């Protein structure tokens, strides 16, 4: 019996207390009900720790076969309300694009336009930027070298030294000053993975989970040091973190921490055309050291429903906005915004 009790204690996840989730109550049609959208936090240039809200573009408006949108939304941090913006020109509809905010411009990269049901749609390689000053979209001259979706992007640095780092299943690309460059890397890279969660912590890029082309999922945490372009696969200090999953959402918490929510695991029967996806409703704090990662499960009285392909963005001050997402079991798409805050 003693050995059995020790085994149970070894697999109970470390808990992170002092957090709470709470839903907002937007008016009818007052928030984007989408999944597979792309988002970025708007940071006040006069105070890098202060958010001016979130931009959200595109996404799928329901289950497979439902319309995909090219709507652009702004979440105002002070009022905690979404507003649909109406720029004259905008990118075509899409889902599963990648995006990042750099020097007051919101960049989107590629994605997938499903087009008519049964057509297979079209994968995209275009790059667009939305200028926060002029409130206008511009199609960039540069293009991704191949059409891609289910990739990820994040900004590192600012000003003339800032860049967007794009992770695809074929490798890393950087975008700066209007130029796209393939970036060689070394180390233990997350090759062949898509549907990963990714964020920047300082000058490092953190990537978690994902799925390969055979629908095998990963629970690994990889860190890319942008000062030397070396990947490191971190070791989990305890065997109690999230299991293999894809399409979780992630946001930075500090210089060595991030928050992760949701995603989907595989049922024992496998992928089964998406019917074998099991949505997760766990929230985790991920803490990095040079070689290791420590996971702590956030304990809250109320939590959002499990989902994939949602977005999670920092609002500053240990506050985060989670929007949208899709439940592969109920086939439901979510529209209620949720706020995670440190209490």
């Amino acid at each position: 019996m003693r050995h059995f009790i020790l085994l149970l204690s070894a697999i109970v996840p470390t808990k992170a207390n002092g957090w709470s989730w709470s839903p907002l109550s937007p008016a009818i049609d007052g928030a984007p009900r989408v999944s597979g959208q792309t988002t970025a936090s708007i940071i006040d240039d006069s105070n890098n720790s202060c958010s001016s809200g979130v931009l959200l573009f595109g996404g799928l408006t329901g289950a497979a076969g439902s319309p995909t949108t090219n709507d652009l939304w702004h979440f105002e941090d002070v009022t905690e309300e979404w507003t649909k913006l109406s720029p004259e020109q905008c990118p075509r509809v899409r889902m599963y694009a990648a995006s990042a905010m750099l020097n007051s411009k919101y960049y989107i990269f590629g994605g997938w336009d499903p087009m008519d049901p049964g057509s297979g749609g079209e994968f995209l390689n275009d790059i667009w930027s939305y200028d926060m000053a002029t409130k206008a979209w511009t199609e960039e001259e540069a293009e991704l070298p191949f059409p891609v979706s289910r990739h990820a992007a994040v900004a590192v640095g600012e000003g003339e030294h800032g860049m967007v780092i794009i992770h695809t299943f074929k490798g890393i690309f950087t975008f700066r000053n209007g130029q796209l460059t393939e970036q060689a890397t070394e180390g233990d890279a997350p090759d062949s993975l898509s549907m990963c969660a990714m964020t920047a912590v300082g000058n490092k890029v953190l990537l978690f989970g994902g799925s390969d082309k055979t629908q095998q999922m990963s629970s690994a945490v990889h860190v890319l040091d942008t000062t030397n372009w070396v990947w490191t696969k971190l070791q989990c200090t305890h065997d109690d973190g999230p299991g293999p999953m894809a399409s979780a959402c992630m946001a930075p918490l500090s210089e060595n921490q991030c928050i992760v929510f949701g995603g989907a695991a595989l049922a024992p029967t496998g992928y089964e055309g998406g019917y074998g996806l099991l949505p997760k409703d766990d929230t985790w704090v991920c803490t990095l050291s040079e070689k290791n990662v420590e996971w702590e499960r956030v304990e809250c009285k109320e939590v959002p429903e499990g989902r994939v392909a949602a977005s999670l963005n920092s609002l500053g001050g240990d506050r985060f906005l989670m929007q949208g997402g899709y439940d592969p079991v109920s086939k439901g798409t979510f529209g209620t915004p949720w706020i995670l805050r440190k209490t």
Side-chain angles (χ1 to χ4, degrees):
M1 177 63 72
R2 177 175 177 270
H3 294 293
F4 180 68
I5 293 173
L6 287 174
L7 178 61
L8 281 178
S9 64
I11 62 175
V12 174
T14 304
K15 296 180 181 180
N17 297 314
W19 293 86
S20 67
W21 280 105
S22 58
L24 301 179
S25 300
I28 297 175
D29 298 327
R33 184 180 295 273
V34 288
S35 66
Q37 70 273 18
T38 183
T39 62
S41 296
I42 308 168
I43 302 300
D44 185 347
D45 291 335
S46 64
N47 183 353
N48 288 335
S49 66
C50 181
S51 167
S52 297
V54 174
L55 286 179
L56 179 151
F57 175 81
L60 185 68
T61 58
S66 62
T68 304
T69 181
N70 61 352
D71 289 338
L72 178 66
W73 291 78
H74 174 222
F75 181 83
E76 172 57 51
D77 183 28
V78 175
T79 62
E80 295 190 334
E81 293 181 347
W82 283 102
T83 301
K84 187 186 295 186
L85 306 180
S86 301
E88 292 184 2
Q89 181 189 26
C90 57
R92 64 189 282 185
V93 302
R94 67 192 68 200
M95 60 189 295
Y96 296 141
S99 68
M101 182 74 71
L102 179 66
N103 299 333
S104 299
K105 287 188 177 181
Y106 173 49
Y107 291 95
I108 64 168
F109 302 86
W112 178 49
D113 178 357
M115 304 176 71
D116 294 331
S119 68
E122 182 179 357
F123 294 94
L124 308 172
N125 68 338
D126 53 348
I127 301 173
W128 288 75
S129 62
Y130 179 77
D131 191 313
M132 294 295 297
T134 64
K135 310 298 183 187
W137 283 106
T138 299
E139 184 171 7
E140 300 287 327
E141 292 185 7
E143 293 182 334
L144 296 168
F146 49 87
V148 64
S149 73
R150 299 175 173 87
H151 50 312
V154 67
V156 173
E158 58 185 350
E160 61 181 12
H161 301 294
M163 60 183 164
V164 178
I165 298 174
I166 305 149
H167 171 264
T168 76
F169 69 98
K170 291 185 178 182
I172 290 290
F173 296 85
T174 62
F175 181 81
R176 68 176 98 192
N177 301 322
Q179 302 296 314
L180 186 80
T181 305
E182 185 172 5
Q183 177 63 54
T185 62
E186 299 178 353
D188 196 349
D191 295 330
S192 303
L193 290 176
S194 59
M195 295 187 285
C196 306
M198 190 168 88
T199 194
V201 284
N203 58 12
K204 296 181 179 180
V205 174
L206 186 153
L207 186 143
F208 164 67
S211 174
D212 64 18
K213 63 183 179 181
T214 66
Q215 287 82 49
Q216 296 302 304
M217 295 185 179
S218 170
S219 61
V221 175
H222 293 81
V223 170
L224 176 62
D225 188 332
T226 62
T227 64
N228 57 18
W229 299 106
V230 174
W231 282 104
T232 301
K233 184 179 180 181
L234 302 184
Q235 301 299 313
C236 192
T237 55
H238 304 286
D239 190 21
D240 56 5
M245 68 171 66
S247 292
C249 51
M250 175 187 287
L253 177 59
S254 69
E255 287 293 309
N256 71 330
Q257 290 184 313
C258 68
I259 293 282
V260 178
F261 175 79
L266 276 181
T269 53
Y271 184 68
E272 293 187 323
Y275 292 100
L277 293 175
L278 303 176
K280 310 291 286 185
D281 65 357
D282 300 327
T283 307
W284 297 86
V285 173
C286 175
T287 302
L288 313 177
S289 60
E290 184 177 356
K291 299 292 185 180
N292 300 316
V293 58
E294 180 180 355
W295 290 99
E296 297 175 278
R297 180 179 288 171
V298 173
E299 296 292 323
C300 299
K301 293 182 179 179
E302 185 177 16
V303 297
E305 300 93 327
R307 64 194 69 193
V308 301
S311 55
L312 185 68
N313 295 90
S314 173
L315 296 174
D318 292 341
R319 294 167 56 246
F320 300 86
L321 169 72
M322 196 267 292
Q323 185 64 39
Y326 178 72
D327 183 343
V329 175
S330 70
K331 312 303 179 188
T333 300
F334 300 101
T336 299
W338 284 77
I339 300 293
L340 174 67
R341 54 172 51 87
K342 195 77 178 285
T343 56

